[in-house]
Structure formats: C-alpha cells, structure tokens
Amino acid sequence: MPIELTASQALGLWHGVALNQVRHDARDLTLRQMAILLHIYLVPPPHTVRGLAATLNVTKPVITRALDTMGDMGLVDRVRDDTDRRNVIIKRTVNGALYLEKLGDLVREQGRKLPV
Amino acid sequence: MPIELTASQALGLWHGVALNQVRHDARDLTLRQMAILLHIYLVPPPHTVRGLAATLNVTKPVITRALDTMGDMGLVDRVRDDTDRRNVIIKRTVNGALYLEKLGDLVREQGRKLPV
DNA sequence: GGAAAATGAAACGTTAGCGTAACGATTTTC
DNA sequence: GAAAATCGTTACGCTAACGTTTCATTTTCC
C-alpha cells in the first residue's frame, strides 16, 4: 500500500538516514552508484550495462565505472553472457544483499524515530 | 507520529528517489553535502563549521568545502559572527529552501507510488 | 599585555568520478 | 564472407572531493 508522508516527515526521514550514513559508514556510495545498486537488486534480472545506462539516463562508462567500484567492494559481480558474448550480465552478491538489507533497516529505523 | 515501513517499502522508497534524482537532476550533491544541507535547514540555528563537523563526525575542511560548493549553488550562505569574529554562521537561503522543498515532494511522491 | 587556545580557511598532493572519443570483440546484415 | 552495427571497456584530460597540515585571525587565560 502507498505511504503517505508529510513534507516534514519526508525531509526528516531523509535527514536521519543521510546523517546516520555519514556518521558511521566510511563506505560512501555516490547517488548514482546507489541508484544502480538498488536497481540491480530490486528489479528482476537480467541487467546489462547498456540497459542500466538507458534506464538511469547516463552514459555507459558511468555504469562501467560504478560496477568497477562496487565490484571491488564486493557488492556486485559481472559475468559474460554466453548466448551473446558481447553482453555482460550483472549479478547480485551476498555482500550486496547484506548491504542493502542494512540500508533498509536504517530507513525503517529512521522512519520509526520520526517526531510524534 | 512514527512511520512504519516494511523492508521492501524502505528500499523501494530509496530506489524511487535515487532513480529520479539521477535521471533528472544534473545537480548532484554528495551524501555528505546532502546531510549538511538537511541539517542546516531542519535543525534550529545557529550553525557553525565547527559544530557541523562535530555533529557529522567529519573534519572541518569537509564542511568548509561543502559550504563553498553549496554556496556557489546558492543553497547556503555564510556570515561572520559579530559577537565572536572567529565564528562563521551558516545561513539558509531561498534557493536552498526551494531545493529541499522539491526534495521533500519527490520523497512524498515516491512514497505514494510504492506498490500496493 | 603576552602566551595559549580556538576557529575557519587555504595549501598540498592524492584519489575518484566525469564526458567524450576511441577501441577490441562479437554479432548481425546483406 | 565482408561490411556494418552493437556491446562493454579503456584512454584522455578535467573537475571535485578527500585527509593532513599549516595558516591568519580572534579570543581567552594568567
């Protein structure tokens, strides 16, 4: 079901999450990287570089670089597509799932903490 | 009152907002900058470089640079404190308020769009 | 009044992301 | 099969943020 937020709640929620991330998390994903990561994990596969670039309205090198960085962090994985070897299929990882699970918990927790 | 979100809703909300920002907004604030901006506008003044640095658990140059950037964007302003001229008081601007208003609308809109 | 402390900014070299343009590998087209 | 198209990556120069250190200004402390 939809979530109804007041303007104050919406910004308060964003504030709480951003603050918490900045304070505690050394790992600092770009907004673009975050969008890519969430897309990979929330939208049914398969995901390709080209597809992500089109969906996010960014150029392909942006996707490649983000995958490089997040791959090094263990948040995503890449595999050649054997049916069309030009493609690269982006795979989810256990680490990535854990990372987003923690993010989800943080958002929920900040929602619960909103002023009464 | 607190907001109760499921894990799926929390991540879906984050996904929707991040996606929208990346797609449409050329202006791309860092997570740190975002946290600073939200803090300035949501927490009662006065705000100083030193105070923000302590609150966000970052070094002072991080705040100075963020204020430089966001100042150029017109999102915040700086004024010397006349009672203690070592301090700089960070001021809100009309542009900054507008920017956050739009962000709030985006969050609310994405909340409303969450799958039923 | 002079030393010490505090504040914000500037300087420095480093790292990482950016957009554009080119590239190699693969597949499709005719 | 050769030419064209497609896909992801790399190269290039640029910009911006990073952490650490140093600095100028101002205030506080004996």
Side-chain angles (χ1 to χ4, degrees):
Chain A
M1 66 191 80
I3 296 297
E4 285 295 341
L5 294 167
T6 67
S8 170
Q9 286 174 328
L11 289 180
L13 180 62
W14 221 253
H15 180 219
V17 175
L19 208 56
N20 204 293
Q21 291 252 86
V22 168
R23 275 176 177 157
H24 304 307
D25 219 348
R27 181 152 55 178
D28 198 336
L29 292 187
T30 299
L31 187 64
R32 286 175 162 190
Q33 294 170 340
M34 182 63 83
I36 293 170
L37 189 65
L38 282 163
H39 205 81
I40 292 169
Y41 280 81
L42 296 185
V43 174
H47 297 290
T48 65
V49 174
R50 167 112 180 127
L52 288 175
T55 302
L56 304 208
N57 193 30
V58 297
T59 60
K60 287 188 294 175
V62 167
I63 305 294
T64 296
R65 281 185 295 247
L67 294 179
D68 287 344
T69 301
M70 296 193 292
D72 288 346
M73 292 179 178
L75 301 179
V76 296
D77 200 6
R78 276 188 278 202
V79 176
R80 273 281 161 201
D81 180 359
D82 271 330
T83 73
D84 184 341
R85 299 189 49 76
R86 287 174 303 183
N87 292 335
V88 162
I89 307 292
I90 292 114
K91 297 289 192 185
R92 302 167 182 169
T93 67
V94 174
N95 263 347
L98 277 174
Y99 179 83
L100 286 189
E101 190 178 315
K102 283 199 280 186
L103 174 64
D105 285 346
L106 175 58
V107 174
R108 298 182 66 195
E109 178 192 333
Q110 293 302 319
R112 256 181 264 115
K113 272 190 191 165
L114 283 176
V116 184
Chain B
M1 66 190 80
I3 295 296
E4 285 295 341
L5 294 168
T6 67
S8 171
Q9 286 175 330
L11 289 179
L13 181 63
W14 222 252
H15 180 218
V17 175
L19 208 55
N20 204 294
Q21 292 253 87
V22 169
R23 275 176 177 157
H24 304 308
D25 219 347
R27 179 151 56 179
D28 198 337
L29 293 187
T30 299
L31 187 63
R32 287 175 162 189
Q33 294 170 339
M34 181 64 82
I36 294 170
L37 188 66
L38 282 163
H39 204 81
I40 293 169
Y41 280 80
L42 296 184
V43 174
H47 298 289
T48 65
V49 174
R50 167 115 181 122
L52 288 173
T55 302
L56 304 208
N57 192 31
V58 296
T59 60
K60 286 189 294 175
V62 167
I63 305 294
T64 296
R65 280 186 296 248
L67 294 180
D68 287 344
T69 301
M70 295 192 292
D72 288 345
M73 293 179 177
L75 301 179
V76 297
D77 200 6
R78 277 187 276 202
V79 176
R80 273 281 161 202
D81 181 359
D82 272 331
T83 74
D84 183 342
R85 298 190 49 75
R86 289 174 302 183
N87 291 335
V88 163
I89 307 293
I90 292 113
K91 297 287 191 186
R92 302 166 184 171
T93 66
V94 175
N95 264 347
L98 278 174
Y99 180 83
L100 287 189
E101 190 178 315
K102 282 200 279 183
L103 175 64
D105 285 345
L106 175 58
V107 174
R108 297 182 67 197
E109 178 191 334
Q110 293 302 320
R112 257 183 263 114
K113 271 191 191 166
L114 283 176
V116 184

